[in-house]
Amino acid sequence: MEFLSGNFLIETFVPNDELIVSRTDLKGNITYANETFADISGYSIDELIGKPHNIVRHPDMPKSVFKELWEDLQIKGFWSGFVKNIRKDEGYYWVYAEVSTVLKDGKVVEYKSIRTPVSFENKKKYQLLYDEIRQKDSDKKRKVIYE
C-alpha cells in the first residue's frame, strides 16, 4: 500500500462521549453502521453497508491480531483489543474494540462490535507493540521515504 498524500499522518479522534457501533454477517460484511462509525471512518453509511469490515483495516495492524480475533469469536464468543483503523481519506483512528457473537435460538447469526476511544498512552504502547509483532511475523513493514 502506498500513500501519496500526507493524510496518512493525520489522526481523527473518537469523541469520549461517542460509541462506534457496527454489525456484520458471518462473513464479516457490514450489515449495520451507526452515524459515528460513518463520521469517524470518512465513509457514508451507504458506502459501509455490504462491505467487508476490513475496509477500515490499517496496514499497521498485524495479521495475527485478526487471526486471534476470529479464533476467540469461534471459541469464546467474544474478543476485545486495541485497533488502529484507516479512514477513507487515508488518515487513521484508534479504538478499543469489543466484538461478540449474536445468537438466535442458540446459533450464531451475526457479530456486533462496539468501539470506544483510546488514551494517548495506549495508542503509543500498541503502535510500538504492533510494529514489533509485524517485524517478528515478517508482516508488512512501514517505510516513509522523502526524495
Side-chain angles (χ1 to χ4, degrees):
M1 178 177 276
E2 185 175 343
F3 299 103
L4 299 177
S5 79
N7 284 346
F8 82 99
L9 297 169
I10 307 300
E11 180 176 8
T12 297
F13 296 94
V14 177
N16 285 325
D17 60 346
E18 297 278 342
L19 292 175
I20 297 173
V21 180
S22 61
R23 293 193 314 254
T24 71
D25 62 22
L26 298 180
K27 294 182 179 180
N29 296 311
I30 299 168
T31 58
Y32 170 81
N34 72 345
E35 283 289 338
T36 303
F37 184 17
D39 291 345
I40 298 297
S41 70
Y43 291 95
S44 70
I45 290 175
D46 288 341
E47 288 176 302
L48 291 167
I49 300 298
K51 297 291 189 300
H53 209 288
N54 66 11
I55 191 173
V56 293
R57 184 177 298 171
H58 196 284
D60 277 356
M61 289 299 301
K63 292 177 185 173
S64 60
V65 171
F66 294 100
K67 182 177 186 285
E68 175 189 292
L69 179 152
W70 286 108
E71 287 172 355
D72 282 359
L73 283 175
Q74 300 306 312
I75 296 166
K76 302 176 191 173
F78 67 91
W79 176 88
S80 61
F82 295 90
V83 178
K84 184 178 186 179
N85 286 321
I86 192 165
R87 291 175 36 88
K88 182 179 179 180
D89 66 5
E90 299 179 344
Y92 68 95
Y93 61 101
W94 279 93
V95 295
Y96 179 74
E98 296 181 42
V99 185
S100 61
T101 56
V102 176
L103 303 174
K104 184 174 183 179
D105 299 323
K107 185 177 178 180
V108 177
V109 294
E110 66 180 358
Y111 301 107
K112 68 178 175 183
S113 177
I114 298 174
R115 277 98 65 210
T116 55
V118 175
S119 69
F120 174 78
E121 292 78 15
N122 277 325
K123 290 174 191 177
K124 183 177 174 182
K125 174 183 175 180
Y126 282 91
Q127 181 67 64
L128 295 173
L129 174 64
Y130 291 165
D131 287 350
E132 185 179 305
I133 292 170
R134 282 194 337 277
Q135 176 86 21
K136 184 183 78 163
D137 293 347
S138 299
D139 211 338
K140 292 179 181 175
K141 292 179 179 42
R142 180 185 338 98
K143 281 197 250 184
V144 178
I145 300 171
Y146 295 93
E147 296 177 331

